């Protein structure tokens, strides 16, 4: 299976999956995509339903990562995921009434769904370095809206041949997220705040990546850049697995019959998670509507409804910070699949020059064949948390609330259309990562500042604090640096960490 850039109109520059994972982003600024989408049949789904998550993962990954052996992929999956549900990086599904199913993706070490990819991706990168005979150090630069940073630090800490710097928006992450990152252990890790928002961080990292002078200078020092953001195919491909696996679980638990269609709602920021669900659908999974849920930063809702992507709008800081994004990078992959590399490159050029593009009617029609979109205000986020807890004694975080809000709306639309399907909502973080906002949503006033709120939330709801978050009580802050939002300042901080002046 070859990989090509989403902007490579001539398809002149094929890469293996190991090369694509190592490099992260294509030289022309595009994202790597497999040359075709492999198929999965109902009988394969049936066979996978009898297997544990690790074997399902090796099976799906081997369809895309054909230059890795099945045994390499199985060993990587076993090191990354527990086989027990709701624990150690394994998913579980909770039922809310007849229609709603919640896929809990946050039982890994950092309590956000990013672990599902970032526990296995460092292992795929280590294998890629061996496969490609790489002697240089891989230097991973990450822009984070909060959860990726911690998950990447935890995944890459003390991995041989790798160094990592994470940039996060100084005022754009929760107190818990900040403490998780700034207290990170490991000899090869570095964390730096920027005086800007997530889009500034992401734009800065992309600029550093695409600068050939930077690449040459690092190369002279035995270093090359790699990415752990969802622009890297190594992040996306493990996410396909859990959508397949969730369907297998619903079948094996007798909740649905093999072949039954389900809808899927995903709380969306950079469009990575929902894109993985789309790829699973293209493979042949019986998925109906993919419901793209946004918060008040509803640029994707507008795009999917009108075909106009316009980032010239106000940016809001919300209580679901991981979705506070105006440039959803992985949308490029969808545009590429639907309209091809030439149009895709033109849209991206227009986005970088004018902050805006509009797709043609036929492209929009194709997008709407699979996607619908909805968004959730701050008030609706809070009321969804409260209603869900009142009705089901089930506690959700602010991001999951945005998605569940959209799922409830979709249920009503489905009923009006006479569609009777289950709706699977991706739950992307533990409520304890956003404890103060969750507590306020339940109508309580937090008494303590920052960290201590988790005990109040636990008392108020009689739910358990996840062990990795409880352990932060004794954590020491190691990283306090903060730089301006220009890419030059971010580069200077990065070079300093790896000892280049
Ligand atoms: C990253 C994140 C999202 C957004 O996922 P994308 O793949 O960027 O669309 C949603 N919720 C939480 C909790 C996250 O950490």
């Amino acid at each position: 299976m070859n990989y090509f850039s989403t902007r490579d109109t001539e398809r002149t520059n094929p890469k293996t999956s190991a090369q694509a994972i190592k490099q992260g982003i294509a030289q022309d600024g595009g994202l790597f995509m497999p040359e075709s989408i492999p198929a999965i049949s109902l009988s394969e789904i049936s066979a996978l339903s009898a297997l544990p998550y690790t074997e399902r993962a090796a099976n799906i990954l081997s369809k895309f990562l054909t230059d890795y052996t099945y045994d390499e992929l199985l060993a990587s999956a076993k090191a990354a995921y527990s086989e027990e549900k709701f624990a150690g990086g394994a998913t579980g599904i909770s039922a809310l009434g007849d229609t709603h199913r919640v896929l809990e993706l946050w039982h890994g070490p950092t309590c956000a769904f990013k672990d599902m990819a970032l526990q296995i991706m460092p292992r795929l990168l280590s294998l890629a370095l061996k496969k490609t005979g790489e002697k240089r150090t891989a230097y991973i630069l990450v822009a984070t809206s909060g959860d990726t940073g911690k998950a990447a630090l935890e995944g890459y800490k003390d991995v041989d041949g790798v160094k990592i710097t994470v940039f996060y928006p100084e005022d754009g992450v929760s107190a818990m997220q900040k403490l998780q990152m700034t207290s990170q252990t490991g000899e090869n890790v570095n964390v730096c705040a920027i005086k800007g928002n997530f889009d500034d961080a992401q734009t800065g990292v992309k600029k550093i990546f695409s600068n050939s002078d930077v690449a040459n200078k690092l190369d002279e020092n035995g270093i090359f850049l790699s990415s752990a953001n969802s622009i890297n195919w190594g992040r996306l491909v493990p996410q396909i697995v859990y959508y397949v696996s969730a369907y297998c679980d619903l079948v094996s638990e007798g909740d649905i019959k093999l072949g039954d269609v389900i809808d899927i709602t995903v709380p969306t920021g950079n469009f990575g998670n929902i894109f993985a669900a789309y790829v699973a659908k293209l493979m042949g999974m019986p998925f109906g509507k993919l419901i793209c849920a946004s918060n008040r930063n509803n640029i994707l809702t507008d795009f999917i409804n009108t075909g106009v992507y316009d980032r010239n709008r106000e940016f809001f800081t919300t209580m679901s910070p991981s979705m506070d994004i105006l440039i959803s990078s992985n949308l490029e992959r969808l545009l590429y699949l639907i309209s091809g590399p030439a149009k895709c490159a033109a849209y991206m050029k227009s986005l970088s020059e004018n902050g805006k593009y509009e797709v043609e009617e036929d492209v929009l029609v194709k997008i709407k064949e699979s996607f619908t979109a909805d968004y959730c205000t701050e008030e609706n986020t809070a009321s969804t948390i409260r209603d869900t807890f009142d009705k089901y004694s089930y506690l959700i975080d602010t991001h999951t609330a945005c998605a569940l809000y959209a799922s409830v709306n979709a249920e009503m639309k489905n009923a009006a259309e006479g569609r009777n399907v289950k709706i699977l909502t991706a739950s992307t973080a533990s409520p304890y990562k956003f404890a103060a906002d969750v507590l306020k949503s339940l109508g309580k006033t937090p008494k303590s500042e920052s960290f201590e709120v988790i005990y109040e939330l636990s008392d108020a709801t009689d739910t358990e604090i996840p062990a990795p978050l409880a352990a932060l009580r004794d954590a020491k802050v190691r990283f306090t640096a903060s730089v301006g939002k220009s890419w030059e300042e971010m580069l200077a901080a990065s070079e300093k960490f790896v000892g280049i002046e």
Side-chain angles (χ1 to χ4, degrees):
M1 175 83 79
N2 286 318
Y3 284 74
F4 292 96
S5 164
T6 47
R7 302 181 194 176
D8 182 359
T9 46
E10 307 299 325
R11 287 199 156 195
T12 43
N13 204 356
K15 303 274 181 191
T16 63
S17 69
Q19 287 171 323
I21 289 171
K22 186 174 120 180
Q23 201 176 317
I25 188 167
Q27 205 58 57
D28 60 11
L31 309 184
F32 287 116
M33 279 294 289
E35 61 191 322
S36 62
I37 305 292
I40 189 165
S41 64
L42 283 185
S43 59
E44 282 179 273
I45 298 171
S46 171
L48 288 181
S49 296
L51 300 177
Y53 192 85
T54 46
E55 286 178 55
R56 291 174 186 169
N59 195 295
I60 302 298
L61 293 177
S62 69
K63 290 177 185 279
F64 290 94
L65 311 181
T66 51
D67 46 328
Y68 290 72
T69 66
Y70 183 86
D71 288 345
E72 285 172 337
L73 295 171
L74 184 61
S76 299
K78 284 189 168 164
Y81 308 118
S82 135
E83 295 190 354
E84 195 185 323
K85 288 207 176 110
F86 297 104
T91 65
I93 298 176
S94 292
L96 306 181
D98 288 340
T99 304
H100 296 287
R101 300 293 176 267
V102 181
L103 177 62
E104 294 180 16
L105 297 167
W106 44 265
H107 292 282
T110 78
C111 305
F113 89 97
K114 305 289 198 293
D115 288 329
M116 296 305 297
L118 282 163
Q119 282 296 300
I120 193 165
M121 187 176 154
R123 303 170 208 280
L124 300 178
L125 177 66
S126 287
L127 289 166
L129 297 181
K130 286 205 195 85
K131 284 178 192 298
T132 57
E134 185 60 63
K135 298 278 179 297
R136 296 170 300 171
T137 297
Y139 185 20
I140 298 181
L141 294 186
V142 179
T144 185
S145 56
D147 289 330
T148 295
K150 177 62 183 181
L153 291 163
E154 200 54 39
Y156 283 103
K157 76 168 177 208
D158 296 329
V159 171
D160 282 345
V162 178
K163 289 191 161 118
I164 174 168
T165 290
V166 169
F167 293 100
Y168 70 93
E170 194 156 59
D171 300 316
V173 301
S174 78
M176 179 63 86
Q177 288 177 314
K178 189 168 177 173
L179 181 61
Q180 280 187 300
M181 288 188 279
T182 55
S183 64
Q184 178 66 44
T185 59
E187 289 309 306
N188 61 340
V189 305
N190 178 33
V191 178
C192 184
I194 69 154
K195 297 180 176 66
N197 62 31
F198 169 72
D199 288 314
D200 297 321
Q202 179 166 252
T203 302
V205 165
K206 277 191 186 171
K207 284 207 173 124
I208 296 172
F209 267 105
S210 55
N211 186 311
S212 53
D213 292 339
V214 172
N216 292 338
K217 187 168 163 195
L218 288 170
D219 187 56
E220 284 162 17
N221 289 276
I223 298 169
F224 73 98
L225 291 174
S226 185
S227 90
N229 279 97
S230 57
I231 50 179
N232 192 317
W233 181 253
R235 263 290 288 284
L236 270 199
V237 67
Q239 301 190 337
I240 300 167
V241 175
Y242 51 71
Y243 289 109
V244 175
S245 178
Y247 189 88
C248 290
D249 283 340
L250 291 174
V251 170
S252 66
E253 285 158 17
D255 205 5
I256 58 171
K257 289 195 301 296
L258 185 66
D260 282 354
V261 166
I262 61 168
D263 289 349
I264 296 179
T265 309
V266 184
T268 297
N270 228 352
F271 210 76
N273 201 2
I274 196 167
F275 183 76
Y278 180 64
V279 174
K281 178 174 168 150
L282 292 180
M283 290 174 78
M285 294 303 296
F287 296 163
K289 294 180 189 167
L290 303 176
I291 302 156
C292 175
S294 300
N295 64 22
R296 216 180 148 200
N297 294 295
N298 58 355
I299 188 165
L300 286 167
T301 322
D302 289 345
F303 173 67
I304 291 169
N305 288 332
T306 68
V308 177
Y309 194 94
D310 187 357
R311 64 156 303 196
N312 305 304
R313 60 172 71 209
E314 196 179 341
F315 174 86
F316 301 107
T317 299
T318 73
M319 57 175 143
S320 43
S322 299
M323 296 156 71
D324 290 346
I325 291 178
L326 292 183
I327 304 179
S328 291
S329 297
N330 280 294
L331 196 55
E332 176 164 355
R333 289 191 156 109
L334 176 67
L335 295 170
Y336 163 80
L337 284 180
I338 290 187
S339 63
K343 273 193 187 170
C344 177
Y347 299 143
M348 292 305 121
K349 187 158 178 273
S350 172
L351 180 65
S352 86
E353 286 170 5
N354 315 313
K356 184 176 166 172
Y357 59 86
E358 177 167 10
V359 300
E360 293 73 7
E361 188 57 31
D362 59 321
V363 174
L364 184 59
V365 167
K366 282 205 194 120
I367 291 173
K368 285 185 175 177
E369 279 169 13
S370 293
F371 292 90
T372 66
D374 200 352
Y375 76 97
C376 185
T377 62
E378 294 290 270
E379 295 74 33
N380 288 334
T381 305
S383 63
T384 303
I385 291 172
R386 192 175 58 240
D387 293 350
T388 306
F389 191 72
D390 288 349
K391 200 162 165 193
Y392 304 106
S393 299
Y394 186 69
L395 193 63
I396 53 175
D397 90 292
T398 48
H399 304 75
T400 307
C402 290
L404 198 56
Y405 171 81
S407 294
V408 170
N409 286 344
E411 177 187 13
M412 288 188 280
K413 276 193 213 121
N414 283 346
E417 291 167 14
R419 277 179 92 233
N420 180 16
V421 298
K422 298 229 177 343
I423 304 177
L424 184 75
T425 300
S427 176
T428 47
S430 159
Y432 283 91
K433 286 196 91 165
F434 307 93
D437 285 318
V438 171
L439 196 63
K440 282 184 217 155
S441 301
L442 295 172
K444 309 227 182 320
T445 310
K447 289 188 207 66
S448 36
E449 290 287 315
S450 63
F451 184 75
E452 308 291 320
V453 182
I454 62 175
Y455 304 110
E456 290 181 56
L457 184 61
S458 179
D459 287 345
T461 58
D462 203 17
T463 56
E464 247 178 75
I465 303 170
L469 299 184
L472 285 175
R473 176 180 212 159
D474 305 317
K476 292 206 173 41
V477 170
R478 293 178 64 202
F479 302 100
T480 53
S482 167
V483 300
K485 67 178 180 182
S486 73
W487 74 272
E488 290 90 346
E489 282 166 276
M490 292 170 62
L491 176 64
S494 310
E495 290 187 336
K496 190 171 161 214
F497 176 62
V498 290
I500 303 175
E501 292 307 329

